[in-house]
Amino acid sequence: MQGQIKKVVLLIVSAIEILANRIVTDAARNQATDIHIVPRKKDTLVQIRLTNKLIPRLSLPKDECDRLISHFKFTANMDIGERRRPQSGAIFCEVDGQLMGLRLSTLPSNNRESLVIRLLPQQEQIPFHQLSLFPAMTRKLLALLKHAHGLIIFTGPTGSGKTTTLYSLLNETAHLFHRNVITLEDPIEKNYDSVLQVQVNEKAGVTYAAGLKAILRHDPDIIMVGEIRDAETAKIAVRAALTGHLVLSTMHTRDAKGAVYRLHEFGCCVSPSLALCQHPCHPLNILGTQNTPIP
């Protein structure tokens, strides 16, 4: 009897694993940016995002959806028993021979737990000279990275290319200027050998604020903070920029001016010496401090 039960459990686990792989493979082959697993009263809807549109792909029974979400959470080392609070995690898998990063985010709702998976192809590194349609903007970005200290904030809505631009610049500066680059991310979206990447782990006490304090003692030239989310992180980032480090980060605001207002909201005194570099035809806005370049 126990042997039969084990066989049934293994079959169920195998079926869920096959379903998970099929959903991820389907999204990757359609060049989707996200997978949405949305619970409803009677079933669950699986959608993929293509060019700002959500395309329904299939519906699943409630029990099968719960097992599917638990499978994704288990593979991402998330707490499968906790469904009352949001969680985030990351895993890497291979789709058609290409390494794919998956960034997972769960959110409790009135109809059980929902899951969104961001697809991050690891091989897709946009060349630095293709970052902008305008060569002058690309040169301006590179010139900002020659500074010895300061704060550069990439702003824009979700999907505007903040992280893509940030990673491309970090990769370029690590090779061109031979500088020690340390990143603090939650989660690590793309692996790079040219930079030292630190994963935020709140259970282990590695928060954005605590991690940033530790990085400052690790002799960095450039610090990349995945996102400025709260007042403590904002103040430490500004303090690091004022004490001889170049800090790069992102912030969810509509434009560059919004970043100034957010910093004021976080209690950071933003001086008029801040330079706003904004181009009306470019989806990204950059906020950088004016300082002295490295000779």
Side-chain angles (χ1 to χ4, degrees), residues 205-229:
V206 185
T207 61
Y208 269 113
L212 197 49
K213 288 178 183 177
I215 288 173
L216 289 174
R217 297 191 293 269
H218 215 69
D219 190 30
D221 295 310
I222 298 178
I223 302 171
M224 191 277 271
V225 181
E227 182 184 352
I228 294 179
R229 299 178 178 177

Tab-separated table of all heavy atoms in Angstrom, residues 205-229:
chain	number	residue	atom	x	y	z
A	205	GLY	N	19.486	38.639	7.649
A	205	GLY	CA	19.850	39.978	8.095
A	205	GLY	C	20.507	40.836	7.037
A	205	GLY	O	20.973	41.939	7.331
A	206	VAL	N	20.557	40.332	5.787
A	206	VAL	CA	21.169	41.107	4.707
A	206	VAL	C	20.062	41.892	4.003
A	206	VAL	O	19.530	41.477	2.974
A	206	VAL	CB	21.916	40.195	3.706
A	206	VAL	CG1	22.641	41.042	2.652
A	206	VAL	CG2	22.905	39.303	4.419
A	207	THR	N	19.687	43.014	4.577
A	207	THR	CA	18.725	43.911	3.952
A	207	THR	C	19.476	44.878	3.040
A	207	THR	O	20.715	44.873	2.998
A	207	THR	CB	17.951	44.691	5.018
A	207	THR	OG1	18.891	45.480	5.776
A	207	THR	CG2	17.208	43.751	5.958
A	208	TYR	N	18.738	45.713	2.313
A	208	TYR	CA	19.394	46.717	1.488
A	208	TYR	C	20.271	47.627	2.343
A	208	TYR	O	21.415	47.937	1.991
A	208	TYR	CB	18.356	47.544	0.734
A	208	TYR	CG	17.999	46.997	-0.629
A	208	TYR	CD1	16.730	46.500	-0.891
A	208	TYR	CD2	18.934	46.973	-1.654
A	208	TYR	CE1	16.404	45.988	-2.134
A	208	TYR	CE2	18.616	46.474	-2.893
A	208	TYR	CZ	17.353	45.986	-3.137
A	208	TYR	OH	17.042	45.482	-4.376
A	209	ALA	N	19.746	48.050	3.487
A	209	ALA	CA	20.495	48.974	4.340
A	209	ALA	C	21.726	48.299	4.944
A	209	ALA	O	22.839	48.838	4.902
A	209	ALA	CB	19.587	49.514	5.443
A	210	ALA	N	21.544	47.083	5.505
A	210	ALA	CA	22.667	46.377	6.132
A	210	ALA	C	23.704	45.960	5.086
A	210	ALA	O	24.916	46.052	5.322
A	210	ALA	CB	22.151	45.149	6.882
A	211	GLY	N	23.227	45.503	3.919
A	211	GLY	CA	24.153	45.108	2.864
A	211	GLY	C	24.973	46.271	2.349
A	211	GLY	O	26.167	46.129	2.066
A	212	LEU	N	24.335	47.433	2.244
A	212	LEU	CA	25.050	48.615	1.752
A	212	LEU	C	26.126	49.056	2.739
A	212	LEU	O	27.226	49.460	2.341
A	212	LEU	CB	24.048	49.742	1.502
A	212	LEU	CG	24.487	50.916	0.636
A	212	LEU	CD1	25.130	50.437	-0.659
A	212	LEU	CD2	23.296	51.811	0.324
A	213	LYS	N	25.835	48.952	4.034
A	213	LYS	CA	26.842	49.289	5.041
A	213	LYS	C	28.045	48.355	4.939
A	213	LYS	O	29.195	48.785	5.055
A	213	LYS	CB	26.225	49.194	6.433
A	213	LYS	CG	25.237	50.301	6.765
A	213	LYS	CD	24.657	50.093	8.147
A	213	LYS	CE	23.612	51.160	8.479
A	213	LYS	NZ	22.995	50.919	9.813
A	214	ALA	N	27.782	47.053	4.720
A	214	ALA	CA	28.871	46.079	4.613
A	214	ALA	C	29.693	46.300	3.346
A	214	ALA	O	30.924	46.170	3.360
A	214	ALA	CB	28.302	44.662	4.633
A	215	ILE	N	29.030	46.654	2.255
A	215	ILE	CA	29.731	46.884	0.987
A	215	ILE	C	30.693	48.054	1.100
A	215	ILE	O	31.785	48.041	0.517
A	215	ILE	CB	28.710	47.106	-0.149
A	215	ILE	CG1	28.018	45.780	-0.510
A	215	ILE	CG2	29.358	47.701	-1.393
A	215	ILE	CD1	26.882	45.919	-1.492
A	216	LEU	N	30.324	49.071	1.861
A	216	LEU	CA	31.182	50.256	2.012
A	216	LEU	C	32.531	49.902	2.646
A	216	LEU	O	33.517	50.627	2.460
A	216	LEU	CB	30.469	51.315	2.861
A	216	LEU	CG	29.276	52.014	2.197
A	216	LEU	CD1	28.579	52.930	3.183
A	216	LEU	CD2	29.726	52.782	0.975
A	217	ARG	N	32.578	48.787	3.381
A	217	ARG	CA	33.843	48.362	3.994
A	217	ARG	C	34.606	47.380	3.101
A	217	ARG	O	35.629	46.839	3.525
A	217	ARG	CB	33.561	47.702	5.352
A	217	ARG	CG	32.931	48.631	6.380
A	217	ARG	CD	32.922	48.008	7.760
A	217	ARG	NE	32.042	46.842	7.837
A	217	ARG	CZ	30.762	46.888	8.177
A	217	ARG	NH1	30.205	48.051	8.476
A	217	ARG	NH2	30.034	45.797	8.231
A	218	HIS	N	34.118	47.160	1.885
A	218	HIS	CA	34.718	46.167	0.984
A	218	HIS	C	35.491	46.828	-0.154
A	218	HIS	O	35.680	46.226	-1.212
A	218	HIS	CB	33.624	45.255	0.430
A	218	HIS	CG	34.061	43.833	0.230
A	218	HIS	ND1	34.338	42.986	1.264
A	218	HIS	CD2	34.267	43.108	-0.903
A	218	HIS	CE1	34.683	41.801	0.784
A	218	HIS	NE2	34.667	41.860	-0.524
A	219	ASP	N	35.898	48.072	0.047
A	219	ASP	CA	36.714	48.823	-0.913
A	219	ASP	C	36.114	48.850	-2.318
A	219	ASP	O	36.763	48.477	-3.293
A	219	ASP	CB	38.130	48.247	-0.963
A	219	ASP	CG	39.086	49.133	-1.764
A	219	ASP	OD1	38.868	50.360	-1.791
A	219	ASP	OD2	40.021	48.590	-2.383
A	220	PRO	N	34.859	49.312	-2.459
A	220	PRO	CA	34.266	49.380	-3.803
A	220	PRO	C	34.607	50.688	-4.507
A	220	PRO	O	34.831	51.716	-3.860
A	220	PRO	CB	32.771	49.308	-3.515
A	220	PRO	CG	32.633	50.001	-2.191
A	220	PRO	CD	33.904	49.735	-1.421
A	221	ASP	N	34.671	50.636	-5.819
A	221	ASP	CA	34.742	51.855	-6.626
A	221	ASP	C	33.350	52.281	-7.058
A	221	ASP	O	33.006	53.461	-7.054
A	221	ASP	CB	35.617	51.627	-7.863
A	221	ASP	CG	37.070	51.359	-7.501
A	221	ASP	OD1	37.631	52.141	-6.719
A	221	ASP	OD2	37.626	50.357	-7.986
A	222	ILE	N	32.551	51.300	-7.472
A	222	ILE	CA	31.177	51.547	-7.915
A	222	ILE	C	30.250	50.600	-7.168
A	222	ILE	O	30.521	49.398	-7.073
A	222	ILE	CB	31.026	51.347	-9.435
A	222	ILE	CG1	31.901	52.342	-10.202
A	222	ILE	CG2	29.571	51.499	-9.858
A	222	ILE	CD1	31.845	52.167	-11.707
A	223	ILE	N	29.171	51.150	-6.625
A	223	ILE	CA	28.172	50.352	-5.914
A	223	ILE	C	26.862	50.428	-6.696
A	223	ILE	O	26.396	51.521	-7.038
A	223	ILE	CB	27.942	50.868	-4.483
A	223	ILE	CG1	29.259	50.862	-3.695
A	223	ILE	CG2	26.884	50.043	-3.771
A	223	ILE	CD1	29.168	51.549	-2.353
A	224	MET	N	26.286	49.276	-6.985
A	224	MET	CA	24.986	49.253	-7.637
A	224	MET	C	23.946	48.706	-6.659
A	224	MET	O	24.074	47.588	-6.165
A	224	MET	CB	25.010	48.382	-8.907
A	224	MET	CG	23.763	48.545	-9.774
A	224	MET	SD	22.344	47.568	-9.264
A	224	MET	CE	22.625	46.055	-10.152
A	225	VAL	N	22.955	49.520	-6.341
A	225	VAL	CA	21.843	49.109	-5.484
A	225	VAL	C	20.648	48.854	-6.394
A	225	VAL	O	20.248	49.732	-7.156
A	225	VAL	CB	21.516	50.197	-4.440
A	225	VAL	CG1	20.377	49.740	-3.538
A	225	VAL	CG2	22.736	50.534	-3.612
A	226	GLY	N	20.108	47.642	-6.306
A	226	GLY	CA	19.034	47.257	-7.225
A	226	GLY	C	17.892	48.253	-7.285
A	226	GLY	O	17.407	48.592	-8.351
A	227	GLU	N	17.480	48.733	-6.119
A	227	GLU	CA	16.367	49.693	-6.091
A	227	GLU	C	16.378	50.443	-4.772
A	227	GLU	O	16.609	49.853	-3.713
A	227	GLU	CB	15.034	48.962	-6.265
A	227	GLU	CG	13.826	49.879	-6.304
A	227	GLU	CD	12.514	49.128	-6.390
A	227	GLU	OE1	12.547	47.895	-6.574
A	227	GLU	OE2	11.458	49.769	-6.256
A	228	ILE	N	16.142	51.755	-4.833
A	228	ILE	CA	15.970	52.554	-3.619
A	228	ILE	C	14.489	52.490	-3.257
A	228	ILE	O	13.643	53.072	-3.931
A	228	ILE	CB	16.431	54.007	-3.831
A	228	ILE	CG1	17.947	54.033	-4.062
A	228	ILE	CG2	16.073	54.871	-2.630
A	228	ILE	CD1	18.510	55.412	-4.315
A	229	ARG	N	14.204	51.778	-2.155
A	229	ARG	CA	12.807	51.515	-1.796
A	229	ARG	C	12.344	52.272	-0.555
A	229	ARG	O	11.146	52.478	-0.382
A	229	ARG	CB	12.608	50.017	-1.541
A	229	ARG	CG	12.905	49.137	-2.739
A	229	ARG	CD	12.716	47.678	-2.378
A	229	ARG	NE	12.945	46.809	-3.525
A	229	ARG	CZ	12.896	45.482	-3.478
A	229	ARG	NH1	12.623	44.886	-2.331
A	229	ARG	NH2	13.123	44.760	-4.554
